Amino acid sequence: MDLSLKPLLPSTKIAVSTLNLFDTLGIILLVPFFDRIVYPFFRRHGHPLSQLRRFGAGFVFASLAMIAAGLLEIYRKSQAPSETSYPTNSTDTNTISFLEQHISACKNIDDFNPFAYQAWFAAGGCSSSTTPPAACEQIGPSSSDGSLPLSSILCQNVPLVSPVSVFWQVPQFVLIGISEILTSITSYAFFYAQAPPNMRSFAASLNLLTTALGTWLCIPLVALANSGDVEWVPSDVNKGHLAGFFFLLAGIMLSMTAGFMVQAKRYQPTVLMSVDGSGEFNSTVELEE
């Protein structure tokens, strides 16, 4: 996607990792909004968002983020320009300059340069200390003088960046931020309120463990998505089905949400009592509403 700051600073590009900032900013800015506006609004209208309801709503927002990401990926691919081969005419500076400016942000133009591969071969090839361009390979014999002609070199087409602005990903990060507000923040209060005093640290650690397990599950999911004839999440996303992977995640999330709703209706909140017999936590009341 286009990483430039168009239309204000078209020549300035941001790093892809910068997008994570919008998740954090969304949480910082929306936490007061939820505490002072959203939650009181539902409470005034007789439908307070209990902790379990917040969990369910957070799961729905996470699913919406994946659906939005899948739809954006479909649109991005529809707008992506056709891949172009690196020119074998070194004097074609216009094409070379165009490819250098529009190559995908995660790719290196030198990996697609047949002249760079030719120079690597002349330097000794496999016996040299340098690495060859990753997207090029030798497909023909060398000349009698030991040089390698361009006709014996095959390089992959240069993947070009889509003109769709990368800032179209911001809504997905905001949706994920809302999901974290409703689930992650609420989970701390839930595990604290529903655990005995001598088990609170352990319960909180189990809560954090779910985050680690969720991150780890991405590994087998990606392996599963790439196990077919066509990889869904390849290094060149234009050749994969990344949108399908996002929809897969959304489907898993919606299925888990449905299962959570069934269990939430059956859940009986734990009422912890203080020494004098009074209820210790108000959050158990929220849990039952």
Side-chain angles (χ1 to χ4, degrees):
M1 301 185 74
D2 188 2
L3 300 177
S4 63
L5 298 177
K6 292 180 180 178
L8 299 177
L9 300 171
S11 60
T12 303
K13 295 184 178 182
I14 65 171
V16 178
S17 58
T18 307
L19 291 174
N20 291 321
L21 178 64
F22 292 101
D23 179 18
T24 305
L25 284 177
I27 294 174
I28 294 175
L29 297 176
L30 290 176
V31 163
F33 175 75
F34 272 81
D35 285 342
R36 299 184 180 183
I37 298 178
V38 176
Y39 296 151
F41 172 82
F42 282 95
R43 195 177 298 115
R44 285 196 305 269
H45 289 77
H47 299 285
L49 292 179
S50 64
Q51 292 178 339
L52 295 181
R53 288 174 180 172
R54 294 178 191 181
F55 283 139
F59 296 155
V60 171
F61 273 101
S63 303
L64 292 176
M66 293 299 101
I67 294 174
L71 295 175
L72 178 60
E73 173 61 14
I74 293 175
Y75 178 70
R76 183 200 67 80
K77 288 188 69 173
S78 69
Q79 300 299 311
S82 302
E83 296 182 349
T84 305
S85 60
Y86 196 98
T88 54
N89 183 2
S90 60
T91 61
D92 189 0
T93 56
N94 290 333
T95 302
I96 295 175
S97 176
F98 174 83
L99 295 178
E100 291 176 344
Q101 295 176 11
H102 295 84
I103 187 173
S104 177
C106 56
K107 299 295 182 179
N108 186 348
I109 189 64
D110 291 333
D111 287 335
F112 303 86
N113 186 349
F115 298 104
Y117 190 92
Q118 197 175 44
W120 170 81
F121 185 87
C126 295
S127 61
S128 66
S129 58
T130 59
T131 56
C136 297
E137 61 178 338
Q138 181 180 351
I139 60 172
S142 59
S143 303
S144 57
D145 59 357
S147 62
L148 186 65
L150 292 176
S151 58
S152 296
I153 303 174
L154 177 64
C155 293
Q156 300 175 15
N157 291 335
V158 181
L160 301 180
V161 65
S162 173
V164 179
S165 175
V166 73
F167 289 103
W168 280 106
Q169 293 189 29
V170 172
Q172 289 87 276
F173 282 91
V174 174
L175 288 173
I176 289 295
I178 294 175
S179 174
E180 292 185 48
I181 292 173
L182 293 169
T183 56
S184 297
I185 296 178
T186 305
S187 66
Y188 291 113
F190 176 84
F191 277 84
Y192 185 87
Q194 294 297 289
N198 60 342
M199 294 287 290
R200 286 172 186 160
S201 297
F202 179 72
S205 65
L206 290 179
N207 177 33
L208 295 175
L209 179 63
T210 60
T211 302
L213 291 176
T215 303
W216 178 84
L217 281 176
C218 289
I219 299 176
L221 282 176
V222 172
L224 176 64
N226 291 342
S227 61
D229 296 333
V230 179
E231 294 184 346
W232 286 22
V233 193
S235 57
D236 184 356
V237 293
N238 287 336
K239 298 179 180 179
H241 299 285
L242 188 58
F245 183 70
F246 286 136
F247 292 142
L248 172 64
L249 295 178
I252 294 175
M253 191 71 248
L254 289 174
S255 300
M256 297 299 295
T257 302
F260 169 80
M261 292 174 64
V262 173
Q263 296 299 321
K265 290 181 178 180
R266 301 175 180 176
Y267 183 77
Q268 296 297 325
T270 301
V271 180
L272 300 179
M273 306 301 292
S274 59
V275 177
D276 59 2
S278 61
E280 186 177 357
F281 300 107
N282 293 329
S283 57
T284 54
V285 177
E286 285 189 358
L287 206 60
E288 296 174 331
E289 291 177 343

